PDB file of all heavy atoms in Angstrom:
ATOM      1  N   ALA A   1      11.619   4.356  -5.193  1.00 94.00           N
ATOM      2  CA  ALA A   1      12.516   4.210  -6.339  1.00 94.00           C
ATOM      3  C   ALA A   1      13.533   5.347  -6.397  1.00 94.00           C
ATOM      4  O   ALA A   1      14.693   5.139  -6.740  1.00 94.00           O
ATOM      5  CB  ALA A   1      11.712   4.159  -7.637  1.00 94.00           C
ATOM      6  N   GLN A   2      13.108   6.554  -6.065  1.00 94.00           N
ATOM      7  CA  GLN A   2      13.997   7.712  -6.150  1.00 94.00           C
ATOM      8  C   GLN A   2      14.875   7.894  -4.921  1.00 94.00           C
ATOM      9  O   GLN A   2      16.011   8.332  -5.025  1.00 94.00           O
ATOM     10  CB  GLN A   2      13.182   8.985  -6.382  1.00 94.00           C
ATOM     11  CG  GLN A   2      12.572   9.057  -7.751  1.00 94.00           C
ATOM     12  CD  GLN A   2      11.799  10.340  -7.973  1.00 94.00           C
ATOM     13  OE1 GLN A   2      11.545  11.109  -7.047  1.00 94.00           O
ATOM     14  NE2 GLN A   2      11.406  10.579  -9.212  1.00 94.00           N
ATOM     15  N   ASN A   3      14.339   7.575  -3.745  1.00 92.00           N
ATOM     16  CA  ASN A   3      15.044   7.893  -2.498  1.00 92.00           C
ATOM     17  C   ASN A   3      15.412   6.681  -1.656  1.00 92.00           C
ATOM     18  O   ASN A   3      16.008   6.838  -0.595  1.00 92.00           O
ATOM     19  CB  ASN A   3      14.180   8.836  -1.649  1.00 92.00           C
ATOM     20  CG  ASN A   3      13.793  10.080  -2.395  1.00 92.00           C
ATOM     21  OD1 ASN A   3      14.623  10.721  -3.007  1.00 92.00           O
ATOM     22  ND2 ASN A   3      12.517  10.425  -2.374  1.00 92.00           N
ATOM     23  N   GLY A   4      15.017   5.489  -2.086  1.00 92.00           N
ATOM     24  CA  GLY A   4      15.210   4.296  -1.272  1.00 92.00           C
ATOM     25  C   GLY A   4      14.085   4.173  -0.262  1.00 92.00           C
ATOM     26  O   GLY A   4      13.297   5.093  -0.065  1.00 92.00           O
ATOM     27  N   ILE A   5      14.024   3.016   0.362  1.00 90.00           N
ATOM     28  CA  ILE A   5      12.969   2.771   1.352  1.00 90.00           C
ATOM     29  C   ILE A   5      13.496   3.165   2.725  1.00 90.00           C
ATOM     30  O   ILE A   5      14.528   2.670   3.164  1.00 90.00           O
ATOM     31  CB  ILE A   5      12.548   1.286   1.350  1.00 90.00           C
ATOM     32  CG1 ILE A   5      12.081   0.871  -0.052  1.00 90.00           C
ATOM     33  CG2 ILE A   5      11.438   1.049   2.381  1.00 90.00           C
ATOM     34  CD1 ILE A   5      11.800  -0.606  -0.189  1.00 90.00           C
ATOM     35  N   PRO A   6      12.792   4.081   3.408  1.00 88.00           N
ATOM     36  CA  PRO A   6      13.256   4.500   4.740  1.00 88.00           C
ATOM     37  C   PRO A   6      13.140   3.364   5.758  1.00 88.00           C
ATOM     38  O   PRO A   6      12.463   2.371   5.526  1.00 88.00           O
ATOM     39  CB  PRO A   6      12.327   5.656   5.102  1.00 88.00           C
ATOM     40  CG  PRO A   6      11.349   5.808   4.011  1.00 88.00           C
ATOM     41  CD  PRO A   6      11.586   4.758   2.991  1.00 88.00           C
ATOM     42  N   SER A   7      13.778   3.553   6.867  1.00 89.00           N
ATOM     43  CA  SER A   7      13.682   2.580   7.965  1.00 89.00           C
ATOM     44  C   SER A   7      12.547   2.982   8.883  1.00 89.00           C
ATOM     45  O   SER A   7      12.296   4.182   9.063  1.00 89.00           O
ATOM     46  CB  SER A   7      14.982   2.561   8.757  1.00 89.00           C
ATOM     47  OG  SER A   7      16.000   2.021   7.976  1.00 89.00           O
ATOM     48  N   PRO A   8      11.855   2.062   9.446  1.00 92.00           N
ATOM     49  CA  PRO A   8      11.964   0.622   9.269  1.00 92.00           C
ATOM     50  C   PRO A   8      11.336   0.185   7.945  1.00 92.00           C
ATOM     51  O   PRO A   8      10.192   0.535   7.635  1.00 92.00           O
ATOM     52  CB  PRO A   8      11.225   0.038  10.464  1.00 92.00           C
ATOM     53  CG  PRO A   8      10.260   1.103  10.881  1.00 92.00           C
ATOM     54  CD  PRO A   8      10.877   2.418  10.471  1.00 92.00           C
ATOM     55  N   VAL A   9      12.091  -0.574   7.171  1.00 91.00           N
ATOM     56  CA  VAL A   9      11.689  -0.980   5.826  1.00 91.00           C
ATOM     57  C   VAL A   9      10.341  -1.687   5.836  1.00 91.00           C
ATOM     58  O   VAL A   9       9.472  -1.402   5.013  1.00 91.00           O
ATOM     59  CB  VAL A   9      12.786  -1.867   5.188  1.00 91.00           C
ATOM     60  CG1 VAL A   9      12.316  -2.469   3.887  1.00 91.00           C
ATOM     61  CG2 VAL A   9      14.062  -1.059   4.986  1.00 91.00           C
ATOM     62  N   GLY A  10      10.149  -2.603   6.769  1.00 92.00           N
ATOM     63  CA  GLY A  10       8.907  -3.366   6.830  1.00 92.00           C
ATOM     64  C   GLY A  10       7.679  -2.491   6.979  1.00 92.00           C
ATOM     65  O   GLY A  10       6.649  -2.732   6.349  1.00 92.00           O
ATOM     66  N   MET A  11       7.774  -1.462   7.799  1.00 91.00           N
ATOM     67  CA  MET A  11       6.637  -0.578   8.022  1.00 91.00           C
ATOM     68  C   MET A  11       6.284   0.198   6.747  1.00 91.00           C
ATOM     69  O   MET A  11       5.118   0.320   6.387  1.00 91.00           O
ATOM     70  CB  MET A  11       6.919   0.416   9.148  1.00 91.00           C
ATOM     71  CG  MET A  11       5.727   1.292   9.476  1.00 91.00           C
ATOM     72  SD  MET A  11       6.057   2.508  10.744  1.00 91.00           S
ATOM     73  CE  MET A  11       6.929   3.746   9.812  1.00 91.00           C
ATOM     74  N   PHE A  12       7.300   0.675   6.042  1.00 90.00           N
ATOM     75  CA  PHE A  12       7.031   1.456   4.838  1.00 90.00           C
ATOM     76  C   PHE A  12       6.531   0.579   3.699  1.00 90.00           C
ATOM     77  O   PHE A  12       5.659   0.989   2.929  1.00 90.00           O
ATOM     78  CB  PHE A  12       8.261   2.272   4.441  1.00 90.00           C
ATOM     79  CG  PHE A  12       8.462   3.467   5.336  1.00 90.00           C
ATOM     80  CD1 PHE A  12       9.337   3.418   6.393  1.00 90.00           C
ATOM     81  CD2 PHE A  12       7.736   4.627   5.139  1.00 90.00           C
ATOM     82  CE1 PHE A  12       9.504   4.499   7.237  1.00 90.00           C
ATOM     83  CE2 PHE A  12       7.880   5.722   5.971  1.00 90.00           C
ATOM     84  CZ  PHE A  12       8.774   5.663   7.030  1.00 90.00           C
ATOM     85  N   LEU A  13       7.057  -0.636   3.580  1.00 92.00           N
ATOM     86  CA  LEU A  13       6.539  -1.558   2.575  1.00 92.00           C
ATOM     87  C   LEU A  13       5.100  -1.958   2.895  1.00 92.00           C
ATOM     88  O   LEU A  13       4.255  -2.044   1.995  1.00 92.00           O
ATOM     89  CB  LEU A  13       7.427  -2.798   2.468  1.00 92.00           C
ATOM     90  CG  LEU A  13       8.773  -2.594   1.784  1.00 92.00           C
ATOM     91  CD1 LEU A  13       9.588  -3.882   1.826  1.00 92.00           C
ATOM     92  CD2 LEU A  13       8.599  -2.118   0.344  1.00 92.00           C
ATOM     93  N   ALA A  14       4.817  -2.172   4.173  1.00 93.00           N
ATOM     94  CA  ALA A  14       3.453  -2.507   4.591  1.00 93.00           C
ATOM     95  C   ALA A  14       2.490  -1.360   4.280  1.00 93.00           C
ATOM     96  O   ALA A  14       1.349  -1.594   3.864  1.00 93.00           O
ATOM     97  CB  ALA A  14       3.418  -2.851   6.074  1.00 93.00           C
ATOM     98  N   SER A  15       2.951  -0.118   4.448  1.00 91.00           N
ATOM     99  CA  SER A  15       2.102   1.038   4.132  1.00 91.00           C
ATOM    100  C   SER A  15       1.751   1.068   2.652  1.00 91.00           C
ATOM    101  O   SER A  15       0.597   1.307   2.284  1.00 91.00           O
ATOM    102  CB  SER A  15       2.807   2.340   4.515  1.00 91.00           C
ATOM    103  OG  SER A  15       2.983   2.413   5.903  1.00 91.00           O
ATOM    104  N   ALA A  16       2.737   0.830   1.799  1.00 92.00           N
ATOM    105  CA  ALA A  16       2.484   0.816   0.356  1.00 92.00           C
ATOM    106  C   ALA A  16       1.548  -0.333  -0.006  1.00 92.00           C
ATOM    107  O   ALA A  16       0.600  -0.157  -0.788  1.00 92.00           O
ATOM    108  CB  ALA A  16       3.795   0.701  -0.417  1.00 92.00           C
ATOM    109  N   LEU A  17       1.785  -1.499   0.565  1.00 94.00           N
ATOM    110  CA  LEU A  17       0.927  -2.651   0.303  1.00 94.00           C
ATOM    111  C   LEU A  17      -0.498  -2.374   0.770  1.00 94.00           C
ATOM    112  O   LEU A  17      -1.468  -2.729   0.088  1.00 94.00           O
ATOM    113  CB  LEU A  17       1.490  -3.900   0.992  1.00 94.00           C
ATOM    114  CG  LEU A  17       0.718  -5.187   0.773  1.00 94.00           C
ATOM    115  CD1 LEU A  17       0.699  -5.563  -0.706  1.00 94.00           C
ATOM    116  CD2 LEU A  17       1.340  -6.310   1.586  1.00 94.00           C
ATOM    117  N   LEU A  18      -0.645  -1.720   1.919  1.00 94.00           N
ATOM    118  CA  LEU A  18      -1.969  -1.367   2.428  1.00 94.00           C
ATOM    119  C   LEU A  18      -2.695  -0.435   1.462  1.00 94.00           C
ATOM    120  O   LEU A  18      -3.886  -0.609   1.198  1.00 94.00           O
ATOM    121  CB  LEU A  18      -1.868  -0.734   3.815  1.00 94.00           C
ATOM    122  CG  LEU A  18      -3.195  -0.297   4.442  1.00 94.00           C
ATOM    123  CD1 LEU A  18      -4.110  -1.500   4.664  1.00 94.00           C
ATOM    124  CD2 LEU A  18      -2.937   0.430   5.753  1.00 94.00           C
ATOM    125  N   ASP A  19      -1.995   0.547   0.905  1.00 94.00           N
ATOM    126  CA  ASP A  19      -2.617   1.473  -0.043  1.00 94.00           C
ATOM    127  C   ASP A  19      -3.210   0.723  -1.233  1.00 94.00           C
ATOM    128  O   ASP A  19      -4.357   0.953  -1.623  1.00 94.00           O
ATOM    129  CB  ASP A  19      -1.608   2.503  -0.556  1.00 94.00           C
ATOM    130  CG  ASP A  19      -1.135   3.459   0.518  1.00 94.00           C
ATOM    131  OD1 ASP A  19      -1.852   3.644   1.510  1.00 94.00           O
ATOM    132  OD2 ASP A  19      -0.021   4.013   0.357  1.00 94.00           O
ATOM    133  N   PHE A  20      -2.419  -0.173  -1.813  1.00 96.00           N
ATOM    134  CA  PHE A  20      -2.893  -0.921  -2.976  1.00 96.00           C
ATOM    135  C   PHE A  20      -3.999  -1.902  -2.602  1.00 96.00           C
ATOM    136  O   PHE A  20      -5.029  -1.978  -3.273  1.00 96.00           O
ATOM    137  CB  PHE A  20      -1.737  -1.659  -3.658  1.00 96.00           C
ATOM    138  CG  PHE A  20      -0.781  -0.730  -4.346  1.00 96.00           C
ATOM    139  CD1 PHE A  20       0.534  -0.646  -3.927  1.00 96.00           C
ATOM    140  CD2 PHE A  20      -1.186   0.065  -5.399  1.00 96.00           C
ATOM    141  CE1 PHE A  20       1.430   0.216  -4.551  1.00 96.00           C
ATOM    142  CE2 PHE A  20      -0.309   0.935  -6.035  1.00 96.00           C
ATOM    143  CZ  PHE A  20       0.994   1.012  -5.607  1.00 96.00           C
ATOM    144  N   THR A  21      -3.801  -2.620  -1.513  1.00 96.00           N
ATOM    145  CA  THR A  21      -4.787  -3.616  -1.089  1.00 96.00           C
ATOM    146  C   THR A  21      -6.107  -2.956  -0.724  1.00 96.00           C
ATOM    147  O   THR A  21      -7.177  -3.406  -1.151  1.00 96.00           O
ATOM    148  CB  THR A  21      -4.243  -4.423   0.111  1.00 96.00           C
ATOM    149  OG1 THR A  21      -3.010  -5.024  -0.268  1.00 96.00           O
ATOM    150  CG2 THR A  21      -5.223  -5.488   0.540  1.00 96.00           C
ATOM    151  N   LEU A  22      -6.041  -1.890   0.045  1.00 96.00           N
ATOM    152  CA  LEU A  22      -7.248  -1.194   0.481  1.00 96.00           C
ATOM    153  C   LEU A  22      -8.056  -0.702  -0.717  1.00 96.00           C
ATOM    154  O   LEU A  22      -9.267  -0.913  -0.790  1.00 96.00           O
ATOM    155  CB  LEU A  22      -6.861  -0.026   1.393  1.00 96.00           C
ATOM    156  CG  LEU A  22      -7.914   0.576   2.294  1.00 96.00           C
ATOM    157  CD1 LEU A  22      -8.488  -0.468   3.234  1.00 96.00           C
ATOM    158  CD2 LEU A  22      -7.309   1.715   3.095  1.00 96.00           C
ATOM    159  N   SER A  23      -7.396  -0.076  -1.675  1.00 97.00           N
ATOM    160  CA  SER A  23      -8.123   0.458  -2.828  1.00 97.00           C
ATOM    161  C   SER A  23      -8.736  -0.657  -3.674  1.00 97.00           C
ATOM    162  O   SER A  23      -9.879  -0.547  -4.127  1.00 97.00           O
ATOM    163  CB  SER A  23      -7.215   1.354  -3.675  1.00 97.00           C
ATOM    164  OG  SER A  23      -6.092   0.632  -4.141  1.00 97.00           O
ATOM    165  N   ILE A  24      -8.011  -1.747  -3.871  1.00 97.00           N
ATOM    166  CA  ILE A  24      -8.530  -2.861  -4.668  1.00 97.00           C
ATOM    167  C   ILE A  24      -9.695  -3.547  -3.955  1.00 97.00           C
ATOM    168  O   ILE A  24     -10.726  -3.859  -4.569  1.00 97.00           O
ATOM    169  CB  ILE A  24      -7.400  -3.857  -5.001  1.00 97.00           C
ATOM    170  CG1 ILE A  24      -6.419  -3.200  -5.984  1.00 97.00           C
ATOM    171  CG2 ILE A  24      -7.951  -5.164  -5.561  1.00 97.00           C
ATOM    172  CD1 ILE A  24      -5.108  -3.941  -6.150  1.00 97.00           C
ATOM    173  N   VAL A  25      -9.570  -3.747  -2.659  1.00 98.00           N
ATOM    174  CA  VAL A  25     -10.657  -4.373  -1.890  1.00 98.00           C
ATOM    175  C   VAL A  25     -11.893  -3.484  -1.914  1.00 98.00           C
ATOM    176  O   VAL A  25     -13.017  -3.981  -2.084  1.00 98.00           O
ATOM    177  CB  VAL A  25     -10.209  -4.679  -0.443  1.00 98.00           C
ATOM    178  CG1 VAL A  25     -11.392  -5.048   0.446  1.00 98.00           C
ATOM    179  CG2 VAL A  25      -9.182  -5.796  -0.444  1.00 98.00           C
ATOM    180  N   ILE A  26     -11.725  -2.181  -1.777  1.00 98.00           N
ATOM    181  CA  ILE A  26     -12.865  -1.261  -1.827  1.00 98.00           C
ATOM    182  C   ILE A  26     -13.597  -1.393  -3.153  1.00 98.00           C
ATOM    183  O   ILE A  26     -14.819  -1.536  -3.199  1.00 98.00           O
ATOM    184  CB  ILE A  26     -12.417   0.200  -1.583  1.00 98.00           C
ATOM    185  CG1 ILE A  26     -12.060   0.408  -0.110  1.00 98.00           C
ATOM    186  CG2 ILE A  26     -13.513   1.188  -2.002  1.00 98.00           C
ATOM    187  CD1 ILE A  26     -11.387   1.748   0.184  1.00 98.00           C
ATOM    188  N   VAL A  27     -12.869  -1.369  -4.255  1.00 98.00           N
ATOM    189  CA  VAL A  27     -13.498  -1.436  -5.581  1.00 98.00           C
ATOM    190  C   VAL A  27     -14.209  -2.771  -5.782  1.00 98.00           C
ATOM    191  O   VAL A  27     -15.365  -2.820  -6.214  1.00 98.00           O
ATOM    192  CB  VAL A  27     -12.454  -1.179  -6.692  1.00 98.00           C
ATOM    193  CG1 VAL A  27     -13.000  -1.540  -8.064  1.00 98.00           C
ATOM    194  CG2 VAL A  27     -12.009   0.275  -6.659  1.00 98.00           C
ATOM    195  N   ARG A  28     -13.539  -3.858  -5.475  1.00 97.00           N
ATOM    196  CA  ARG A  28     -14.145  -5.185  -5.703  1.00 97.00           C
ATOM    197  C   ARG A  28     -15.345  -5.417  -4.795  1.00 97.00           C
ATOM    198  O   ARG A  28     -16.388  -5.894  -5.238  1.00 97.00           O
ATOM    199  CB  ARG A  28     -13.102  -6.276  -5.520  1.00 97.00           C
ATOM    200  CG  ARG A  28     -12.021  -6.140  -6.605  1.00 97.00           C
ATOM    201  CD  ARG A  28     -11.267  -7.348  -6.863  1.00 97.00           C
ATOM    202  NE  ARG A  28     -12.162  -8.415  -7.299  1.00 97.00           N
ATOM    203  CZ  ARG A  28     -11.754  -9.645  -7.492  1.00 97.00           C
ATOM    204  NH1 ARG A  28     -10.499  -9.942  -7.286  1.00 97.00           N
ATOM    205  NH2 ARG A  28     -12.587 -10.573  -7.888  1.00 97.00           N
ATOM    206  N   ALA A  29     -15.216  -5.092  -3.517  1.00 97.00           N
ATOM    207  CA  ALA A  29     -16.321  -5.314  -2.587  1.00 97.00           C
ATOM    208  C   ALA A  29     -17.505  -4.407  -2.913  1.00 97.00           C
ATOM    209  O   ALA A  29     -18.665  -4.835  -2.845  1.00 97.00           O
ATOM    210  CB  ALA A  29     -15.863  -5.112  -1.147  1.00 97.00           C
ATOM    211  N   HIS A  30     -17.225  -3.169  -3.292  1.00 97.00           N
ATOM    212  CA  HIS A  30     -18.327  -2.266  -3.623  1.00 97.00           C
ATOM    213  C   HIS A  30     -19.037  -2.726  -4.893  1.00 97.00           C
ATOM    214  O   HIS A  30     -20.267  -2.640  -4.976  1.00 97.00           O
ATOM    215  CB  HIS A  30     -17.826  -0.832  -3.758  1.00 97.00           C
ATOM    216  CG  HIS A  30     -18.928   0.170  -3.838  1.00 97.00           C
ATOM    217  ND1 HIS A  30     -19.873   0.326  -2.849  1.00 97.00           N
ATOM    218  CD2 HIS A  30     -19.256   1.064  -4.798  1.00 97.00           C
ATOM    219  CE1 HIS A  30     -20.724   1.269  -3.194  1.00 97.00           C
ATOM    220  NE2 HIS A  30     -20.372   1.720  -4.378  1.00 97.00           N
ATOM    221  N   SER A  31     -18.290  -3.208  -5.853  1.00 97.00           N
ATOM    222  CA  SER A  31     -18.912  -3.749  -7.070  1.00 97.00           C
ATOM    223  C   SER A  31     -19.841  -4.908  -6.719  1.00 97.00           C
ATOM    224  O   SER A  31     -20.956  -5.005  -7.245  1.00 97.00           O
ATOM    225  CB  SER A  31     -17.841  -4.219  -8.058  1.00 97.00           C
ATOM    226  OG  SER A  31     -17.094  -3.127  -8.514  1.00 97.00           O
TER     227      SER A  31
END
């Protein structure tokens, strides 16, 4: 939001998506 998405855009968006997905999957599966 502050600096824009660096290139390659897809890789950085995938990294952010992985962070959210990984944490949510960990919590739900562990529960």
Side-chain angles (χ1 to χ4, degrees):
Q2 290 181 349
N3 304 312
I5 303 173
S7 292
V9 172
M11 184 182 79
F12 285 97
L13 287 176
S15 295
L17 182 62
L18 179 63
D19 293 337
F20 290 117
T21 303
L22 198 59
S23 59
I24 291 167
V25 168
I26 287 170
V27 168
R28 295 202 60 186
H30 191 59
S31 294

